[in-house]
Amino acid sequence: MLTTRKTFGAVLATAALFALTACSTGSLSSDAPAAESGSEASGDITVGTVGVQADIQDISAFCGDEDITVALADGFGGNSWRKITRALFEAEAAKCPNITKVLYTDAQGDTQKAISDINSLVAQGVDVIVTFVDGGEALLPTIQKATEAGVSVVPFVGSPGGEPGVDYVDFVSEDIATYGKNLAEWTIETMGGEGNLVMLGGIAGNSYSQAVYDGVMSAVEANPGITLLNEDGPVATDWEPGKTQQVVAGLITKYGDIDGIVADYGGGSVGGIRAFEAAGKPLPVWSANDSNEFACLWYEYKDAQPTYQIATESSRNWVVVAALHKGLAATNGLPNDEPSTYNLEIIEDSTDPDKMPTCEPDLPADAILSSGLTVDQLTELFK
C-alpha cells in the first residue's frame, strides 16, 4: 500500500471549502454546463472536462513509483459488458509494474453488499477504488468515508451523486443523457416520426438507465407523433438477455404493437429480438450500444424484414481506463487532464452505407468490438 495515500483525503477535505464547477451528478445531463477547462482536484486533476476517446493518455504518465493496490468494485458483474470491462481494467493495470495487487468485487446488484465491498477494500488498504455505482446515491456516504480515509475513489458510468473533486476524485462517463437523446432521435426518425416507443434499461432504480431515459424523453417530447409506452421510467431488464426476453415478451402481450426500441445495453437487446421472433411479430426499429450478436442478428433478419433497422453507439467499456488513470494520478500526486465526460456518436447505422453494422462471426456473440480489447483478447476472454 502506498504509505502517503492519506494525503489525497486531506486535499479533498480542504477542497470541500471551495465551489467547484462540476455538477453534483457528474455528466448525467446534457443540460449541465460543460467546463472546457475543468476544475482541479488533488495533483492538478481536472474535473468536469469534456472530450473524446482519443484524449485518453498512456498509463505510464500516472503509474508512479511506489507499490500500489487497485480495485474494481462492481455493483453488478453478471453480464458480458461487465466481464469485458473487468478484463480491460486488469489489462490496463498490468501495464504499471508497481501495481502489486488488482482486486475485484461483485455486489451482484445488492446495494448493501456494494457498501460492504467498498468498506472491505478500504480495510484491506487499497489505494485506488474504481467503481460502477449501481446503487446510486445510497453509496455516497460510503464513498465519502473511503475518500476521508485517503483512498482515491473514481466512480464511472453509474453516478453516486455528490460532488466530483470533493467527495471522490472524479466521475467518468459518457454524456449519458445525450447518448439517450441521440439514439432516440435516430430511432424516431427511422420510425417515420410516429408510433409506439419503448426504452429498455437495466437493474431497477439504477442512475445510469434513468439518465438515458431522461435523454429519450427529451427526444420524445419534441415528437408529438411518438407514444412512449413506459412513461414511468426505464423498463428493468437487469441487463441480461434472458430477463430481457421475458420482459419484452410481456411488453408485446401488453401493448401489441411496438414500433421502436431504445436500449442501454445491446448485449441484452438480443434477448428482446428473440421475443419478437417467438411472438411472430415484426421486429421494430432498434437502437442500443454495440454488441457483436446485436449486429449479426440484423444481418440474419434484414432480408425478411426490410423495415427492421438498427443503430449503435460505442459500448464505451474503455471509460474504465480513464477512471483508473485518474485514481492513480490522485494517489501519486500527479497531474491528469483527461476528460471526465466523453462524447459519443453513432458508429453503426444500417440505413447508412458508410456505417453498416459489423458482425464478426469468428468472435463470440458477446464480444464488443468498440470495447478497447483486441480481437485476440476478446477471443481469449470468451473461451
Side-chain angles (χ1 to χ4, degrees), residues 164-243:
V166 175
D167 296 314
Y168 42 86
V169 176
D170 199 2
F171 172 63
V172 181
S173 185
E174 79 272 30
D175 188 329
I176 302 172
T178 298
Y179 163 86
K181 182 180 180 182
N182 288 348
L183 289 183
E185 287 177 341
W186 177 91
T187 304
I188 291 168
E189 180 181 356
T190 307
M191 290 166 61
E194 58 184 19
N196 293 333
L197 181 69
V198 168
M199 189 262 151
L200 301 178
I203 295 173
N206 82 86
S207 60
Y208 174 74
S209 293
Q210 183 59 52
V212 175
Y213 179 85
D214 292 343
V216 171
M217 278 296 298
S218 66
V220 170
E221 289 168 355
N223 288 273
I226 295 296
T227 299
L228 185 63
L229 297 177
N230 52 307
E231 293 183 328
D232 56 349
V235 177
T237 69
D238 292 351
W239 290 311
E240 294 178 339
K243 176 69 176 290

Side-chain angles (χ1 to χ4, degrees), residues 12-306:
L12 285 193
T14 302
L17 299 175
F18 300 94
L20 297 178
T21 59
C23 72
S24 63
T25 55
S27 296
L28 297 182
S29 171
S30 58
D31 294 331
E36 293 184 0
S37 59
S39 45
E40 294 184 354
S42 172
D44 294 326
I45 297 170
T46 57
V47 174
T49 54
V50 180
V52 295
Q53 183 181 2
D55 294 326
I56 298 176
Q57 301 167 30
D58 191 277
I59 194 173
S60 60
F62 315 114
C63 290
D65 299 314
E66 297 189 51
D67 289 352
I68 289 178
T69 297
V70 302
L72 176 60
D74 211 341
F76 166 76
N79 63 31
S80 297
W81 191 94
R82 303 299 180 107
K83 185 176 182 179
I84 291 170
T85 302
R86 177 185 178 182
L88 191 60
F89 177 86
E90 292 173 346
E92 187 72 5
K95 297 175 183 177
C96 289
N98 59 310
I99 293 181
T100 56
K101 290 184 182 179
V102 181
L103 305 180
Y104 175 78
T105 60
D106 175 8
Q108 302 171 3
D110 184 332
T111 298
Q112 290 305 311
K113 187 175 186 307
I115 291 170
S116 177
D117 286 345
I118 291 176
N119 286 335
S120 175
L121 291 171
V122 174
Q124 292 176 64
V126 169
D127 300 295
V128 176
I129 298 176
V130 173
T131 179
F132 192 124
V133 181
D134 288 285
E137 294 186 6
L139 271 293
L140 182 59
T142 302
I143 290 172
Q144 290 171 325
K145 289 179 182 178
T147 297
E148 291 168 2
V151 181
S152 301
V153 183
V154 187
F156 73 108
V157 181
S159 172
E163 189 167 7
V166 175
D167 296 314
Y168 42 86
V169 176
D170 199 2
F171 172 63
V172 181
S173 185
E174 79 272 30
D175 188 329
I176 302 172
T178 298
Y179 163 86
K181 182 180 180 182
N182 288 348
L183 289 183
E185 287 177 341
W186 177 91
T187 304
I188 291 168
E189 180 181 356
T190 307
M191 290 166 61
E194 58 184 19
N196 293 333
L197 181 69
V198 168
M199 189 262 151
L200 301 178
I203 295 173
N206 82 86
S207 60
Y208 174 74
S209 293
Q210 183 59 52
V212 175
Y213 179 85
D214 292 343
V216 171
M217 278 296 298
S218 66
V220 170
E221 289 168 355
N223 288 273
I226 295 296
T227 299
L228 185 63
L229 297 177
N230 52 307
E231 293 183 328
D232 56 349
V235 177
T237 69
D238 292 351
W239 290 311
E240 294 178 339
K243 176 69 176 290
T244 303
Q245 182 169 352
Q246 295 173 5
V247 168
V248 172
L251 294 173
I252 293 170
T253 300
K254 182 176 181 178
Y255 296 112
D257 294 330
I258 299 175
D259 306 295
I261 290 181
V262 178
D264 64 9
Y265 181 44
S269 290
V270 301
I273 292 169
R274 295 189 186 105
F276 276 92
E277 183 67 10
K281 301 286 287 186
L283 289 165
V285 175
W286 208 305
S287 61
N289 48 31
D290 70 307
S291 163
N292 194 37
E293 188 174 12
F294 186 60
C296 293
L297 285 175
W298 179 76
Y299 284 101
E300 180 177 338
Y301 293 117
K302 70 181 182 67
D303 293 335
Q305 301 198 44

